[in-house]
Amino acid sequence: MTRDVEARDELPDWAGAKEFYQKYDPKEIIGRGVSSTVRRCIHRQMGKEFAVKIIEVTPERLSPEQLKEVRLSTAKEMDILHHVSNHPSIISLIDSYESSTFIFLVFDLMKRGELFDYLTEKVTLSEKETRFIMKALLEAVSYLHSNNIVHRDLKPENILMDDCLNIKLSDFGFSCILNPNEKLRELCGTPGYLAPEILKCSMDETHPGYGREVDLFLVCWRFVPRNVSQLIKLSSMPSSRATKGIRMPPSSHLTAFGLQPGLHLHVYVSSLDGDSHVL
């Protein structure tokens, strides 16, 4: 472990986090980000467990430009979460605190961790598990898009799970408000999960830009197992492309729950009752 990581793993002192410590008791580290750590914490009065993301914003670690960027992006993420946290498949921002040196974001604690780790451990999901997870994920994306929000960093690492396989979409650091008919050109997201349009925008100045459909590329083609992808009916695509499940079409062919002509959940996926339990 590097010295920088070791320093970041240390708990903030009382003076820099008094308001947070008065309400929560931080415990072990359960995750790490580029400039943050995530700990399990316990509400002192209720005894309930949560997860707290601790972001250090000190001039000793970050340049003035980096400090400004971190504060602005965190404020944007918080604003978006306040708009969508009421959805059952989107992580809830429970509390937030900010000092001159740290930002604390308190979220639901999803004890099973990332979908990525679960998929790695299980290797193969059952038919019922797959339908259960996909239905909840697509409903979450549909809700975001209905509120003119594009996530831009959908991946198994940003989908958290509880012990009953209920999922919550997390990490809204790249998300933004996107008004109808508006396009984006910014190159952002995680390498390996980027939609074709995002990459093309960075290489072609004449490219018209991309919209919320890039989220569906990530969901339906990049990290969903191929047998699940084949359950998605792409009604706007020629059948020869939709049925092969090999080529990756432009994201403009994809959308959630008929928000635009394009993607419709196959009855195989959508027939599962969202309140059902698979374990």
Side-chain angles (χ1 to χ4, degrees):
M1 185 179 293
T2 67
R3 185 171 299 177
D4 184 58
V5 172
E6 289 176 346
R8 205 166 63 231
D9 285 353
E10 295 178 2
L11 280 167
D13 59 31
W14 180 272
K18 181 179 179 180
E19 192 176 2
F20 170 77
Y21 283 130
Q22 287 176 334
K23 194 170 181 179
Y24 297 94
D25 181 15
K27 299 297 183 181
E28 74 278 2
I29 291 174
I30 57 176
R32 290 185 176 88
V34 176
S35 59
S36 64
T37 57
V38 181
R39 290 179 178 268
R40 181 175 68 91
C41 66
I42 300 176
H43 192 283
R44 294 185 185 275
Q45 289 187 343
M46 296 188 299
K48 187 175 180 180
E49 293 180 306
F50 295 98
V52 58
K53 182 178 181 180
I54 305 173
I55 307 166
E56 187 172 359
V57 284
T58 60
E60 291 80 14
R61 297 286 175 80
L62 302 171
S63 68
E65 292 78 14
Q66 289 174 323
L67 282 172
K68 182 179 180 181
E69 182 180 347
V70 169
R71 288 188 178 278
L72 285 175
S73 63
T74 303
K76 183 182 70 172
E77 181 177 4
M78 291 169 60
D79 183 58
I80 287 176
L81 282 168
H82 283 310
H83 280 86
V84 300
S85 283
N86 60 326
H87 192 278
S89 296
I90 295 175
I91 201 75
S92 293
L93 179 60
I94 307 296
D95 236 336
S96 62
Y97 302 92
E98 185 173 351
S99 70
S100 59
T101 52
F102 293 96
I103 299 173
F104 300 84
L105 304 180
V106 181
F107 296 98
D108 303 308
L109 178 63
M110 305 295 284
K111 291 188 176 182
R112 200 154 206 166
E114 299 173 0
L115 174 61
F116 179 88
D117 293 330
Y118 184 72
L119 292 173
T120 301
E121 174 190 340
K122 290 273 292 189
V123 181
T124 302
L125 297 184
S126 71
E127 181 179 295
K128 194 171 185 180
E129 283 178 312
T130 302
R131 290 164 58 198
F132 186 83
I133 292 170
M134 281 298 296
K135 183 174 187 292
L137 177 56
L138 287 167
E139 285 175 343
V141 174
S142 176
Y143 182 76
L144 291 179
H145 292 180
S146 70
N147 283 276
N148 296 321
I149 295 169
V150 57
H151 189 280
R152 296 198 292 182
D153 198 25
L154 289 175
K155 57 184 180 179
E157 294 90 334
N158 288 341
I159 298 167
L160 305 179
M161 308 176 71
D162 66 12
D163 289 332
C164 296
L165 290 194
N166 297 304
I167 68 161
K168 286 187 183 288
L169 182 57
S170 69
D171 200 341
F172 284 71
F174 287 125
S175 62
C176 66
I177 302 293
L178 184 65
N179 296 315
N181 300 319
E182 186 180 355
K183 294 292 183 181
L184 298 168
R185 298 192 58 84
E186 183 182 7
L187 176 62
C188 69
T190 301
Y193 293 104
L194 297 176
E197 288 87 343
I198 297 178
L199 292 170
K200 288 178 182 177
C201 279
S202 66
M203 299 181 288
D204 182 2
E205 293 183 356
T206 65
H207 194 278
Y210 61 88
R212 60 189 181 179
E213 65 276 357
V214 296
D215 284 345
L216 271 299
F217 173 86
L218 303 176
V219 172
C220 296
W221 290 95
R222 202 64 189 105
F223 68 80
V224 176
R226 178 172 295 178
N227 64 325
V228 180
S229 298
Q230 291 172 343
L231 300 176
I232 307 291
K233 181 181 179 182
L234 302 174
S235 62
S236 69
M237 294 172 54
S239 58
S240 60
R241 293 181 65 188
T243 56
K244 286 183 179 179
I246 297 175
R247 299 181 188 176
M248 292 185 180
S251 306
S252 57
H253 286 294
L254 308 176
T255 186
F257 287 103
L259 291 175
Q260 297 172 348
L263 180 71
H264 302 279
L265 283 185
H266 192 284
V267 65
Y268 182 83
V269 176
S270 62
S271 62
L272 183 64
D273 185 350
D275 294 327
S276 300
H277 293 283
V278 296
L279 295 182

